[in-house]
Amino acid sequence: MWYFAKHPSGKEEMISKNYAKERGSHYESDADGLCTRLVKPVPKRGNYDYSVDKQAFIDLGWRIKEKDIKLGELIGKGEFGDVYRGKYREQKVAVKVLKDSSKAATQQFLTEASVMSALRHDNLVQLLGVVLGDNIQIVTEFMGKGSLIDYLRSRGRSVITRKDQINFASDTCNGMAYLEKEKFVHRDLAARNVLINDDCTAKVSDFGLARPVDSNQQGGKFPIKWTAPEALKDSLFTSKSDMWSFGILLWEIYSFGRVPYPRIPLANVVTHVSEGYRMESPDGCPQEIYDIMTETWNINAGQRPSFTETAVKLSAIRANTS
Ligand code: ADP
Ligand code: MG
């Protein structure tokens, strides 16, 4: 059964709900073996327990007192809360305030914070702490230039250089290589979920859907144009499905923020892709970058490159780009 709905964190991308089918355990012995190293079979609904409790944040020292945060202007709207500019101990921060205080929403929100608290890398948006007041707030480093998608669209071809593009691609890939090494799967990698700071460093954000590899919680909502075929079809989310999304993100960077699969109606994208259709190289995109895109869109997840390998390639291209 297919359902289409607006993705809350973006305008044009549509999502399918309950698209992923539940899987049995048989694919553990699948021939290609490569993705089975990273995933366990999806448990039946309700079989997982990834509960995070407020006390855990306090014990781990992640609690920030409400009075230590000064809220500023609204800078963005997310699925679970509004994002404000803020100040925490003289540091510029971003504060996501949970709007829905139901138990399920609180749980999801704290899950996002707990994922972020386990991860630390220069190319991941850093968690600073959590305010456990009437409204739960997630405090992160402030990314002054906003999301990569807005950055690409607002500046465009006339302002953004080859060097900027390779920097964004390489930064994002470095952050993802770290996630891959830590065995975290992002599941929603896209230019809208990469943020740019005042120094123009790109960092991966929006860990709302990221889960430890073996937790396999089903979110049920996927941005179709960014999600790998096996993830849409069989809920097989791995670093290799993140790699497919990274290829789409590269295409977004080199097309200056166009919506992927232009001119193909969303409802036809999955069929086209399953029949072997792939996007063309964006105008002016270097061949070596398009070669990477093509590799990431291998239908066989096991044959896609790793983020670690790709990060090495992108670093070399970065060093050769002036
Ligand atoms: P959701 O994942 O629920 O959609 P996001 O975390 O993507 O919400 O945040 C929504 C928007 O808020 C982003 O697109 C961005 O414009 C802004 N935003 C989020 N986090 C930050 C941050 N750390 N610094 C600056 N702006 C941010
Ligand atoms: Mg988002």
Side-chain angles (χ1 to χ4, degrees):
M1 181 84 86
W2 287 66
Y3 302 88
F4 291 103
K6 280 275 185 201
H7 191 281
S9 59
K11 276 184 221 87
E12 57 289 293
E13 61 274 7
M14 307 287 274
I15 51 162
S16 93
K17 229 184 159 187
N18 300 332
Y19 187 26
K21 280 182 278 176
E22 287 179 356
R23 292 279 300 208
S25 59
H26 60 275
Y27 71 84
E28 260 181 336
S29 54
D30 272 1
D32 80 55
L34 278 161
C35 17
T36 61
R37 196 173 53 82
L38 292 170
V39 289
K40 288 203 172 82
V42 175
K44 287 199 168 56
R45 228 172 276 275
N47 225 4
Y48 57 82
D49 181 18
Y50 193 57
S51 62
V52 184
D53 127 276
K54 288 187 183 184
Q55 192 58 41
F57 283 97
I58 299 167
D59 294 347
L60 291 167
W62 286 104
R63 179 176 207 167
I64 290 179
K65 296 202 179 88
E66 193 151 18
K67 65 171 173 56
D68 290 339
I69 297 284
K70 276 200 197 80
L71 282 187
E73 64 184 303
L74 181 73
I75 50 175
K77 286 189 174 288
E79 188 174 353
F80 302 104
D82 293 339
V83 182
Y84 295 85
R85 178 198 281 274
K87 265 257 169 82
Y88 171 57
R89 294 180 176 160
E90 296 311 304
Q91 185 184 353
K92 281 189 199 170
V93 295
V95 183
K96 195 191 270 187
V97 181
L98 179 60
K99 48 190 170 195
D100 177 355
S101 56
S102 71
K103 215 174 165 194
T106 304
Q107 191 64 44
Q108 178 84 36
F109 211 62
L110 288 175
T111 299
E112 176 170 359
S114 96
V115 169
M116 293 184 81
S117 72
L119 303 165
R120 192 175 287 270
H121 187 274
D122 277 351
N123 299 110
L124 297 184
V125 174
Q126 183 61 49
L127 178 74
L128 299 172
V130 180
V131 177
L132 300 166
D134 294 339
N135 287 307
I136 288 177
Q137 305 175 5
I138 294 185
V139 183
T140 61
E141 66 177 306
F142 181 66
M143 301 293 290
K145 293 195 157 74
S147 79
L148 175 58
I149 194 67
D150 294 339
Y151 191 95
L152 293 166
R153 288 176 184 170
S154 62
R155 277 119 180 135
R157 233 169 251 282
S158 56
V159 175
I160 295 170
T161 63
R162 277 274 173 89
K163 186 71 180 176
D164 295 330
Q165 288 173 308
I166 188 64
N167 286 350
F168 295 150
S170 163
D171 283 350
T172 305
C173 194
N174 290 340
M176 290 305 299
Y178 169 82
L179 281 189
E180 175 181 75
K181 182 168 71 76
E182 295 296 313
K183 306 220 177 321
F184 272 83
V185 178
H186 189 291
R187 295 170 182 237
D188 195 12
L189 182 60
R192 63 182 171 276
N193 287 331
V194 172
L195 301 176
I196 310 295
N197 73 6
D198 287 328
D199 302 330
C200 281
T201 300
K203 304 192 183 204
V204 177
S205 85
D206 205 348
F207 296 91
L209 293 172
R211 299 282 178 270
V213 166
D214 59 3
S215 87
N216 258 310
Q217 181 173 344
Q218 288 183 307
K221 298 196 281 187
F222 309 113
I224 287 178
K225 288 179 170 182
W226 281 261
T227 306
E230 75 281 2
L232 284 175
K233 207 161 158 263
D234 299 321
S235 260
L236 277 169
F237 285 92
T238 64
S239 294
K240 297 294 189 183
S241 61
D242 279 349
M243 183 44 83
W244 176 288
S245 310
F246 181 72
I248 306 286
L249 191 156
L250 277 180
W251 189 92
E252 292 182 278
I253 293 174
Y254 284 88
S255 68
F256 300 90
R258 291 188 74 185
V259 178
Y261 304 100
R263 292 181 297 275
I264 302 181
L266 185 75
N268 300 347
V269 168
V270 174
T271 315
H272 271 68
V273 168
S274 73
E275 289 167 358
Y277 175 83
R278 297 295 183 270
M279 285 190 281
E280 295 167 11
S281 184
D283 267 357
C285 173
Q287 183 63 39
E288 51 195 347
I289 296 288
Y290 187 61
D291 289 344
I292 295 174
M293 286 183 212
T294 309
E295 287 176 11
T296 72
W297 300 329
N298 195 309
I299 196 69
N300 184 343
Q303 284 170 19
R304 293 172 207 151
S306 68
F307 282 102
T308 304
E309 280 166 63
T310 306
V312 172
K313 283 193 191 173
L314 291 173
S315 292
I317 300 173
R318 184 177 193 159
N320 288 327
T321 305
S322 46

